[in-house]
Amino acid sequence: MKRITVLGSSGSIGKQTLNIISKMKENVCIEGLAVGSNIKILKSQIKKFKPAAVSVNSLAAAQNLKKWCISNNIKTDVYKGNTGLEKLTTMPKADMILAAIVGAVGLKSIIAAIKAKKDIAIANKEAIVMAGSYIMKLAAENGVSVLPVDSEHSAIFQCCADEKKSQVKRIILTASGGPFHKYDKDFSKITVEQALDHPTWKMGRKITVDSATLMNKGLEAIEASVLFGVSIDKVEIIIHPQSIVHSMVEYVDGSVIAQLSNPDMKLPIQYALTYPERLPSNIKPLNLIEINKLEFYNPDFNKFPCLKLAYYAAKKGYTAPAVMNAANEAAVASFLNKEIKFTDIAKIVGITVKTHKVSKSTSLDTFIEADYWARHYAEKLINEI
Ligand code: MG
């Protein structure tokens, strides 16, 4: 029995993870759950999974939850805030932490979990982009596995688990292209509602906007480079609107290995939970006759400047990806609040990344400081718009 703690259990990945776990009761169970503020969802999850402990952000939420547990005769421990999150990640009985908190805020809990020698199923790409070199080094030192949950990275992992990295010639990361792949109108007039209407994947709001700007693919290119230890020059992006081929790995002999399935996050989540085993799942079987054709296109770096910025930051390295990620988080939040235009996202990220002076220190504090600086700088730019 594998015992899992889910950080971010009220989000899209968190909820799908619990749904999968509820169908694999003989193999996997829940040890702990953490949410930000969505107590309503957490209460229903506590009832269903009876975790040993949970964590929420605020004192008020924790007090509410504690009372509720007592009155319902539930013996779940309730923690709060950052210290609560840390406590949850280091619970002795947990075998694996599924890190599904969106954004750089999830970084500290991932580090605490690695130090406590918990394997990590990583859905938080922002943390990898922000401090990937630090996380991977720490994981190696602690003998911890970092298993990808992102569908593309799960695909790459499945295509190269047994091969030697030095034999990888190229990683080909597929992208659906998002809702604006064929859009030929004025990008500055794109509304929040249009950006949130993704053609193939149903996801949380932040990642859906990132998919519309293609920043998501930029973050994923950096994530792939970090997780698989290949230089960013070897990571290529191609648009594949059907989202059937989830990514490919090309080897030095010219052989290309791809992983295919209907687009369904249940598969990569389940694989991360059960690796190295595969268990039956209820995802829709792949019918290539029905799908009929698979298309591939080059991405348009001019139409989607965020993609260009991600490669720029990745090549600069050190603190540049952390800065890009933080500026993007600030800009996307502001776009979702309808304060700035769709095209302002890339502008804000671009100015912030280009203003930043890269620090070559690889300490954790350096990445945290870079994130902090970029967030404030981006917010200053947002206020000037
Ligand atoms: Mg993805």
Side-chain angles (χ1 to χ4, degrees), residues 185-240:
K185 294 185 195 128
D186 185 353
F187 270 51
S188 70
K189 301 229 162 67
I190 289 171
T191 64
V192 170
E193 290 72 22
Q194 281 174 300
L196 288 178
D197 189 18
H198 194 276
T200 49
W201 293 101
K202 204 180 165 297
M203 307 173 286
R205 283 157 62 87
K206 193 260 175 185
I207 184 174
T208 306
V209 173
D210 283 347
S211 298
T213 61
L214 291 201
M215 178 56 97
N216 183 51
K217 215 42 65 175
L219 295 171
E220 287 184 357
I222 300 173
E223 186 187 8
S225 148
V226 171
L227 288 179
F228 302 104
V230 299
S231 96
I232 192 75
D233 303 319
K234 288 185 174 179
V235 184
E236 226 169 79
I237 293 168
I238 57 172
I239 305 293
H240 167 44

Side-chain angles (χ1 to χ4, degrees), residues 25-332:
K25 281 188 186 130
E26 302 87 66
N27 306 85
V28 185
C29 70
I30 288 294
E31 182 68 6
L33 296 171
V35 305
S37 55
N38 201 329
I39 305 282
K40 201 175 154 215
I41 290 182
L42 183 59
K43 282 178 181 171
S44 71
Q45 292 175 342
I46 293 172
K47 270 190 181 164
K48 195 162 174 195
F49 295 95
K50 305 190 173 53
V54 296
S55 179
V56 291
N57 259 350
S58 72
L59 175 65
Q63 283 170 337
N64 171 323
L65 211 54
K66 268 184 195 165
K67 263 191 208 156
W68 177 84
C69 283
I70 293 166
S71 62
N72 284 279
N73 204 14
I74 292 169
K75 290 182 178 62
T76 297
D77 289 328
V78 179
Y79 302 132
K80 68 161 179 13
N82 283 339
T83 48
L85 205 53
E86 246 186 79
K87 231 172 172 171
L88 202 73
T89 53
T90 56
M91 286 161 75
K93 280 188 183 163
D95 302 300
M96 176 181 257
I97 306 292
L98 189 127
I101 294 175
V102 179
V105 290
L107 178 66
K108 281 189 179 160
S109 52
I110 292 169
I111 288 166
I114 294 174
K115 285 185 175 164
K117 302 199 189 304
K118 309 293 183 194
D119 284 337
I120 310 286
I122 189 102
N124 178 333
K125 68 188 79 178
E126 291 89 351
I128 292 286
V129 169
M130 180 184 169
S133 57
Y134 180 87
I135 291 173
M136 296 311 280
K137 189 167 166 267
L138 195 66
E141 284 166 4
N142 284 280
V144 160
S145 302
V146 180
L147 298 162
V149 169
D150 218 342
S151 61
E152 296 80 357
H153 304 79
S154 176
I156 298 162
F157 184 63
Q158 293 179 56
C159 294
C160 73
D162 300 326
E163 309 283 342
K164 291 198 180 93
K165 269 181 215 155
S166 61
Q167 295 169 357
V168 171
K169 191 176 172 195
R170 209 163 42 125
I171 285 176
I172 306 162
L173 204 61
T174 54
S176 70
F180 308 123
H181 168 52
K182 287 189 173 155
Y183 195 76
D184 55 5
K185 294 185 195 128
D186 185 353
F187 270 51
S188 70
K189 301 229 162 67
I190 289 171
T191 64
V192 170
E193 290 72 22
Q194 281 174 300
L196 288 178
D197 189 18
H198 194 276
T200 49
W201 293 101
K202 204 180 165 297
M203 307 173 286
R205 283 157 62 87
K206 193 260 175 185
I207 184 174
T208 306
V209 173
D210 283 347
S211 298
T213 61
L214 291 201
M215 178 56 97
N216 183 51
K217 215 42 65 175
L219 295 171
E220 287 184 357
I222 300 173
E223 186 187 8
S225 148
V226 171
L227 288 179
F228 302 104
V230 299
S231 96
I232 192 75
D233 303 319
K234 288 185 174 179
V235 184
E236 226 169 79
I237 293 168
I238 57 172
I239 305 293
H240 167 44
Q242 290 80 15
S243 298
I244 297 295
V245 178
H246 298 304
S247 277
M248 297 173 256
V249 177
E250 182 184 12
Y251 288 93
V252 284
D253 59 0
S255 185
V256 178
I257 303 182
Q259 186 259 338
L260 287 74
S261 75
N262 278 312
D264 190 330
M265 280 308 293
K266 285 207 281 292
L267 188 56
I269 295 170
Q270 175 172 313
Y271 190 64
L273 295 178
T274 64
Y275 175 81
E277 304 300 325
R278 287 184 186 273
L279 293 182
S281 84
N282 64 355
I283 80 157
K284 190 178 167 220
L286 182 63
N287 183 338
L288 286 172
I289 307 294
E290 203 174 85
I291 291 159
N292 191 255
K293 68 173 179 183
L294 301 176
E295 297 166 290
F296 300 95
Y297 304 96
N298 271 322
D300 187 335
F301 283 76
N302 293 323
K303 237 165 113 179
F304 297 98
C306 282
L307 210 47
K308 220 191 276 181
L309 287 168
Y311 273 88
Y312 172 85
K315 279 179 193 158
K316 275 210 144 183
Y318 300 102
T319 45
V323 164
M324 181 202 66
N325 175 65
N328 182 59
E329 282 189 32
V332 171

